[in-house]
Amino acid sequence: MSDDEGEVYAYSDDEGSDVDYAYGSDEDQDEQDHEIVNSYYEGEEFMQQNQLPEALEKMERVVGVAAERGGDDLRWCFKGLECIVMLLFKLGEHEKMLAAYERLLSYTSAVTRNESTDAINSVLDTISGATGSIVAQTYAKTLASTEGNERLHFTTMIRQAKAYLAQGDLKEVGRVIERLHQLCRNPDGSDDESKATYLMEVYALEISYCTHTCDMARMKEILPRTLKLNAAVSDPRIMGIIREEGGKLHMRQCQWSDAYSEFNEGFRAYQEAGNSRAKQCLKYAALSNILANSSINPFAATEAKVYQDDREVMAMMELRIAYDANDLPRFERTLEHKPNHILDDSFMAVYIEELRRRMREQVLLSITQPYSKMTLAHVAKELRLSREEIESLLVDLILDKRIKGQIDQIGGFVLLRPEGRSSSGKHAALARWADALQAGTGSGKCDEGDDGWAH
């Protein structure tokens, strides 16, 4: 008999029966237990030190010993294989990695459902930034293995679609979304509202897909459905995505107030879920708030005060302060300051010119408040714009009824009708002069100061 099996001695008991006693086997088992545990933790230490070949050698030893012993030790085999899969991926050994992953999936019955779910998610996290066939093959093996676990199978498909979306493979994203919808439909093809949580996740994914494909018609169709399901599902992780994308849709339609409401709700949902997108959504809420010419301060909320020391959020606060103070130079400095990363955001960049225009309108409204007439040249100088740009701003303000007045392009001035002012004295005379001018009987003259304003 080998040393590993220990020595066996035979004795007879009082009734004459033979009894075998083995010595040494317990010690050998303890030694193997120590070998498995020690090799695993040594391998983990090598992984932390980025010594991948050494870590791989240790984990292979864990799997070899644990698989040979079987029984409860298969849990160690599973844990070791999980590490081996990730190590092989990092070493670029993709074929070996897939073989090890397939073996890992075959041991899921040896561990709890939570342990198998965590291991699968760890592997999918590891390959999340990869490109090429390795991603498709890994997901294919995962989906084949998880068909008996509805929740894990569903979340794996969601992750697969997101991976394709990150790679820009929109055709595959559309294919996976259709399969997801099939899982959430009644036999008659309608949505199975008993699967409201699943439906919300699918719609959140589809909204992101519509954003990438610029399919605004489909997004308009989806958003009301999500609001209908919102009463049944209050998962902030899902609602954050839906609200943010809804805000972006309203922005594209220049519905600034609705966009602000959506971004604000998205920010709150992300904040509740602990999602880092909360900061970005707060910035978008501030942007849409200014465009909406709203008097609401988006930074006054308790949730927003968490970000009061964040540089990018502080930059948006600075924009708001400059806007409220009609401080155009400060506004421009804040926009152009590179560390603020305002112009680096591809979404915000689309609306920067609109934002600038809104700020200029605000300043123009402020400086025209005390006057009844002003020369276009002087206003252009004040705002550092061309006369044509000033005329365009004034036309918009007049058409929006935010200013009541008339532009004299030949004379080069704008005549303003004072609102809420006394009709006596100078203001009454100016009003009569304005009426005469419009009737074509006035002289078109008005006393001006050296600064180009009529007081």
Side-chain angles (χ1 to χ4, degrees):
M1 182 171 290
S2 68
D3 292 339
D4 290 343
E5 294 172 329
E7 297 182 66
V8 179
Y9 298 89
Y11 295 91
S12 297
D13 60 10
D14 293 339
E15 298 177 356
S17 301
D18 289 336
V19 180
D20 291 341
Y21 296 92
Y23 296 99
S25 58
D26 288 342
E27 288 82 357
D28 290 341
Q29 185 172 351
D30 289 342
E31 185 177 339
Q32 287 182 329
D33 286 343
H34 289 308
E35 183 178 7
I36 291 173
V37 174
N38 289 340
S39 294
Y40 182 81
Y41 288 113
E42 285 172 7
E44 274 199 332
E45 188 173 345
F46 280 130
M47 288 176 70
Q48 292 169 1
Q49 296 171 354
N50 206 34
Q51 294 177 263
L52 305 187
E54 292 83 355
L56 182 61
E57 182 181 349
K58 291 293 181 181
M59 291 303 175
E60 286 176 340
R61 180 60 182 162
V62 170
V63 172
V65 175
E68 184 179 348
R69 293 180 63 180
D72 291 341
D73 287 325
L74 290 179
R75 292 184 67 255
W76 285 103
C77 185
F78 183 86
K79 288 163 67 73
L81 280 167
E82 179 185 350
C83 294
I84 287 172
V85 170
M86 291 185 281
L87 286 166
L88 288 170
F89 176 78
K90 291 177 181 178
L91 289 167
E93 299 281 354
H94 291 173
E95 291 299 322
K96 292 182 179 179
M97 174 240 166
L98 289 169
Y101 186 50
E102 194 165 359
R103 188 179 176 191
L104 170 73
L105 294 171
S106 70
Y107 282 110
T108 53
S109 60
V111 296
T112 65
R113 177 167 286 195
N114 285 341
E115 286 175 324
S116 65
T117 299
D118 289 344
I120 288 170
N121 286 332
S122 293
V123 172
L124 297 180
D125 284 340
T126 300
I127 67 161
S128 60
T131 57
S133 62
I134 184 65
V135 176
Q137 289 177 290
T138 303
Y139 274 104
K141 290 182 182 299
T142 306
L143 291 170
S145 173
T146 57
E147 286 185 353
N149 185 337
E150 183 185 90
R151 180 61 190 170
L152 181 56
H153 191 73
F154 179 85
T155 56
T156 300
M157 289 178 69
I158 291 284
R159 292 192 62 152
Q160 182 185 32
K162 289 180 178 179
Y164 285 136
L165 196 62
Q167 293 177 5
D169 192 343
L170 299 179
K171 183 178 179 180
E172 285 299 315
V173 176
R175 184 181 63 80
V176 176
I177 287 175
E178 180 55 34
R179 287 171 55 203
L180 286 165
H181 273 301
Q182 290 173 4
L183 295 176
C184 304
R185 284 178 183 151
N186 292 313
D188 63 0
S190 61
D191 286 343
D192 183 355
E193 295 190 6
S194 67
K195 296 182 177 180
T197 302
Y198 285 2
L199 279 168
M200 286 293 277
E201 290 190 62
V202 176
Y203 282 137
L205 174 63
E206 192 168 5
I207 286 171
S208 297
Y209 173 67
C210 289
T211 300
H212 281 75
T213 57
C214 299
D215 189 349
M216 297 302 106
R218 176 60 179 162
M219 190 183 290
K220 287 180 187 178
E221 184 183 340
I222 294 170
L223 281 172
R225 297 183 187 180
T226 65
L227 296 177
K228 182 181 177 182
L229 291 169
N230 188 26
V233 181
S234 58
D235 189 336
R237 296 170 299 175
I238 301 171
M239 292 312 302
I241 297 170
I242 292 172
R243 293 294 193 176
E244 180 184 356
E245 296 300 336
K248 289 180 178 179
L249 175 63
H250 287 304
M251 289 288 281
R252 290 186 182 92
Q253 298 173 327
C254 299
Q255 297 168 341
W256 314 124
S257 296
D258 291 338
Y260 168 68
S261 297
E262 290 294 309
F263 284 136
N264 192 45
E265 289 298 323
F267 162 68
R268 292 174 185 273
Y270 280 140
Q271 186 73 348
E272 183 181 347
N275 191 317
S276 60
R277 289 293 302 173
K279 182 179 82 170
Q280 206 65 22
C281 220
L282 178 59
K283 290 170 61 178
Y284 296 161
L287 170 67
S288 55
N289 181 268
I290 295 174
L291 291 173
N293 197 32
S294 172
S295 60
I296 300 171
N297 181 0
F299 302 105
T302 304
E303 298 92 339
K305 291 180 180 178
V306 175
Y307 297 94
Q308 63 184 1
D309 295 326
D310 183 273
R311 186 182 192 96
E312 294 181 23
V313 174
M314 287 175 65
M316 298 304 295
M317 292 174 65
E318 188 77 7
L319 281 182
R320 178 73 204 199
I321 292 169
Y323 178 79
D324 289 337
N326 301 315
D327 191 340
L328 185 57
R330 182 180 182 181
F331 189 88
E332 287 293 338
R333 284 196 305 271
T334 305
L335 273 182
E336 298 289 345
H337 192 49
K338 289 189 179 296
N340 291 338
H341 299 297
I342 296 174
L343 300 180
D344 296 338
D345 187 304
S346 59
F347 174 74
M348 293 183 69
V350 174
Y351 303 98
I352 290 301
E353 287 310 310
E354 186 67 33
L355 186 65
R356 280 191 165 114
R357 187 176 184 85
R358 189 52 49 95
M359 180 65 196
R360 290 163 182 168
E361 289 175 353
Q362 181 80 353
V363 174
L364 186 53
L365 284 169
S366 174
I367 63 178
T368 59
Q369 185 72 26
Y371 304 102
S372 57
K373 178 191 174 187
M374 56 186 185
T375 62
L376 298 177
H378 197 82
V379 179
K381 183 179 178 182
E382 287 286 318
L383 270 67
R384 299 178 183 178
L385 298 172
S386 68
R387 175 171 161 169
E388 290 74 18
E389 289 174 313
I390 290 297
E391 286 185 13
S392 176
L393 285 172
L394 284 168
V395 167
D396 285 349
L397 290 171
I398 291 170
L399 291 175
D400 290 343
K401 298 182 180 180
R402 296 170 69 191
I403 283 181
K404 286 194 174 182
Q406 183 176 357
I407 300 171
D408 186 334
Q409 290 181 313
I410 297 174
F413 61 84
V414 59
L415 179 66
L416 301 166
R417 296 180 186 176
E419 291 290 322
R421 294 176 178 172
S422 170
S423 60
S424 61
K426 178 175 67 176
H427 292 156
L430 287 169
R432 288 193 298 274
W433 173 82
D435 292 339
L437 182 65
Q438 289 182 1
T441 60
S443 64
K445 294 181 180 179
C446 184
D447 292 336
E448 295 181 13
D450 294 336
D451 57 359
W453 306 99
H455 299 274

